[in-house]
Amino acid sequence: MRWKAYKSFGAVLACIVLMSGCGSQKAIEGGSDGQEGVPLEEDMAEGTAEDIAEVYMTTDISPEGLMKVYEALQWEPEGPVAVKLSTGEPPASNYLRPELIRDLVQHVDGTIVECNTVYGGSRAETAMHYQVAKDHGFTEIAGFQILDEDGSMTLPVEDGARLTENYVGAHFTDYGSYIILSHFKGHSMAGYGGAIKNISIGLASSEGKAWIHSGGTSRTNAWGGEQDAFLESMAEAGRSVMDALGENIVFINVMNRLSVDCDCDGNPSEPDMHDIGILASSDPTALDQACVDLVYGAEDGGSLVNRIESKNGLHTLEHAEKLGLGNRTYNLVSVDE
């Protein structure tokens, strides 16, 4: 099944089609752009066929479903493979469980990687963070490394409005390829967390996290910065990572346990909407846009929509597209039979 997206509208339609089997050929009113729906086969809002990303989706949230969307990417990693995810803050966050991701990580002979936090907690120091990874079962399925256990390295940021450089873990270049494996959910500061946040805040060293949060004004103080500066800095940091890796990076978002709170919250709000599926793309902006659209199209997505809008979360996507980090127009492709 293939759906031609008109910005966010095609994904809203696809959400309804994939969940209900409806055969409508028109997008519905709504979507994260807040505009009325239009026929899908009319002229595209932006972009040509060459720059519209493919976003693959399954409703099967299982090891088999995860492998299916990964294989749909037809991606061949080069060199050692890093699998970037969130190890999750204890005691009860909604991090991706090892039993879900094990087959994929072992299929690519990957090393699970993370960076230390800047806000304190159980993952702020390297020794404690390794213990959390062990306690949460990640070291049982693959090798594990804290990328900033030996400090930071810098990546240049091109065309940034906020940043000229990005501080990532010093071991970033130990790996030739990256799979960015994200639990899509809400976030108390960014509005939502997905692929862009995982390659910006997620791959940033502890000082890099402060740098992004502060909009490029401090490497020690993450708090009190301007909201839009933070959102734009995430997109700009993400652009630096993409520039560094080129085609040697792909993105997978798992849409389960859709709390309004992120995996950095050890006691998140209980989700009040249904699980949706697993999505994958080589374009982080298209992938996050598709996930946002599916939330907006869900009848029970109101709490998460409110969280996104309360933090102006869509601005990250706007700035990412402006930077050339990706395209908000995409084709949503179901890999389910």
Side-chain angles (χ1 to χ4, degrees), residues 26-248:
K26 289 182 180 291
I28 64 169
E29 182 176 351
S32 64
D33 286 340
Q35 304 175 36
E36 293 185 357
V38 296
L40 293 181
E41 298 303 323
E42 292 185 1
D43 292 340
M44 302 294 288
E46 292 183 15
T48 64
E50 289 76 19
D51 59 19
I52 297 172
E54 303 280 86
V55 177
Y56 300 96
M57 178 178 178
T58 179
T59 58
D60 177 16
I61 305 176
S62 70
E64 295 77 18
L66 184 59
M67 283 299 303
K68 192 178 295 186
V69 294
Y70 169 75
E71 290 169 351
L73 295 170
Q74 299 183 356
W75 179 71
E76 293 293 334
E78 296 181 3
V81 179
V83 181
K84 170 63 182 74
L85 50 70
S86 170
T87 47
E89 193 68 31
S93 62
N94 293 312
Y95 61 90
L96 297 176
R97 278 6 188 205
E99 55 267 26
L100 174 65
I101 70 170
R102 178 180 53 237
D103 291 355
L104 173 60
V105 175
Q106 294 181 355
H107 174 75
V108 298
D109 193 23
T111 299
I112 297 170
V113 301
E114 251 280 44
C115 286
N116 290 322
T117 67
V118 71
Y119 56 79
S122 300
R123 301 179 299 143
E125 302 292 339
T126 296
M128 293 192 300
H129 202 160
Y130 272 107
Q131 186 62 49
V132 170
K134 179 179 179 180
D135 292 345
H136 286 176
F138 293 113
T139 59
E140 294 182 7
I141 67 170
F144 179 81
Q145 185 176 30
I146 304 295
L147 293 181
D148 64 333
E149 63 186 3
D150 295 315
S152 304
M153 61 170 287
T154 59
L155 299 177
V157 175
E158 301 293 335
D159 304 320
R162 306 291 180 174
L163 307 181
T164 59
E165 56 188 2
N166 177 33
Y167 298 88
V168 297
H171 290 280
F172 173 78
T173 54
D174 289 0
Y175 302 91
S177 300
Y178 277 74
I179 298 174
I180 306 301
L181 185 53
S182 308
H183 174 222
F184 189 90
K185 67 284 177 184
H187 192 274
S188 61
M189 297 185 72
Y192 78 91
I196 294 175
K197 183 174 181 293
N198 206 0
I199 57 170
S200 55
I201 292 292
L203 282 173
S205 63
S206 181
E207 67 173 331
K209 288 177 171 62
W211 188 244
I212 294 168
H213 271 287
S214 68
T217 62
S218 175
R219 287 187 284 168
T220 58
N221 183 10
W223 318 119
E226 180 190 346
Q227 178 66 8
D228 281 1
F230 161 52
L231 300 175
E232 291 169 8
S233 294
M234 280 201 298
E236 292 173 12
R239 163 77 187 271
S240 76
V241 170
M242 289 290 288
D243 287 346
L245 291 172
E247 296 182 354
N248 294 323

Side-chain angles (χ1 to χ4, degrees), residues 182-318:
S182 308
H183 174 222
F184 189 90
K185 67 284 177 184
H187 192 274
S188 61
M189 297 185 72
Y192 78 91
I196 294 175
K197 183 174 181 293
N198 206 0
I199 57 170
S200 55
I201 292 292
L203 282 173
S205 63
S206 181
E207 67 173 331
K209 288 177 171 62
W211 188 244
I212 294 168
H213 271 287
S214 68
T217 62
S218 175
R219 287 187 284 168
T220 58
N221 183 10
W223 318 119
E226 180 190 346
Q227 178 66 8
D228 281 1
F230 161 52
L231 300 175
E232 291 169 8
S233 294
M234 280 201 298
E236 292 173 12
R239 163 77 187 271
S240 76
V241 170
M242 289 290 288
D243 287 346
L245 291 172
E247 296 182 354
N248 294 323
I249 184 170
V250 290
F251 306 88
I252 302 174
N253 285 357
V254 180
M255 300 186 74
N256 71 339
R257 298 289 298 168
L258 289 158
S259 172
V260 298
D261 296 317
C262 83
D263 300 345
C264 56
D265 189 330
N267 293 285
S269 297
E270 187 68 14
D272 60 2
M273 68 177 296
H274 68 282
D275 294 347
I276 292 178
I278 307 175
L279 290 80
S281 183
S282 60
D283 182 328
T285 302
L287 179 59
D288 280 357
Q289 182 70 62
C291 291
V292 167
D293 290 338
L294 289 165
V295 170
Y296 271 77
E299 292 184 357
D300 55 359
S303 296
L304 186 45
V305 169
N306 289 339
R307 173 54 59 88
I308 292 169
E309 294 186 348
S310 71
K311 302 299 178 180
N312 197 27
L314 300 180
H315 187 56
T316 304
L317 294 166
E318 295 167 348

